[in-house]
Amino acid sequence: MADSIRVLLGKIGLDGHDRGIRMVAAWLRDGGMEVVYVGTHQTAERLARAASEEDADVIGLSFQGADHVPLCKQMLEQMKAHGLQDRLLVVGGNIPRVDIPLLKEMGVDAIFASGTPMSKSVAYIQENAHKKRSKEAK
């Protein structure tokens, strides 16, 4: 495992709004991470395959619509199917605070709802990306 953190970002589903995730990509790069942005209108299967091919430590999803719960469920299923349970799954965007406990219970590692300071997101990923992979390897 390399020392740098590799983050794969993308949007699954029909949501084509990607201004926020492009800003997140720039901030993560400024935080010293390698970032691969695969774009909008992806499927969970394509993102999981890309994360495996890119050896990503972190998969990041952004949501603007109300479909984050079923799409996160699909992503978690695909991560399991591709043996990626040791990778961080973080989500951000317009996530109602009432849905955060459910997403965490499903297996999403962190939720950064709109208004979360970017420094908090970057610090969380820096602290936990390699920790989860090495923890799962034991």
Side-chain angles (χ1 to χ4, degrees):
M1 178 177 4
D3 288 331
S4 67
I5 297 170
R6 295 182 60 93
V7 181
L8 184 96
L9 297 175
K11 294 185 67 87
I12 55 178
L14 300 175
D15 178 10
H17 180 276
D18 70 344
R19 185 174 182 173
I21 199 168
R22 287 178 184 269
M23 292 174 63
V24 169
W27 287 324
L28 295 177
R29 266 189 225 113
D30 290 347
M33 299 177 212
E34 294 180 50
V35 179
V36 177
Y37 174 53
V38 295
T40 60
H41 306 114
Q42 300 293 318
T43 65
E45 196 280 331
R46 277 189 283 191
L47 245 71
R49 189 169 5 104
S52 180
E53 291 169 358
E54 295 288 342
D55 195 27
D57 302 298
V58 180
I59 299 170
L61 305 175
S62 171
F63 296 101
Q64 294 298 313
D67 50 0
H68 51 278
V69 171
L71 293 175
C72 282
K73 182 178 182 216
Q74 290 175 19
M75 190 71 238
L76 288 159
E77 290 169 355
Q78 287 300 316
M79 288 174 68
K80 184 175 182 182
H82 286 80
L84 300 169
Q85 303 97 313
D86 62 343
R87 316 302 162 89
L88 280 184
L89 175 61
V90 298
V91 301
N94 289 337
I95 309 289
R97 301 216 186 277
V98 69
D99 290 342
I100 291 174
L102 173 61
L103 292 169
K104 287 196 167 219
E105 183 180 307
M106 290 167 49
V108 175
D109 293 294
I111 298 98
F112 304 109
S114 296
T116 302
M118 197 59 214
S119 59
K120 182 177 177 181
S121 307
V122 171
Y124 176 85
I125 291 171
Q126 288 173 329
E127 182 177 334
N128 292 289
H130 290 156
K131 196 182 295 183
K132 185 168 182 181
R133 285 189 87 168
S134 51
K135 180 179 168 184
E136 296 289 329
K138 292 179 183 175

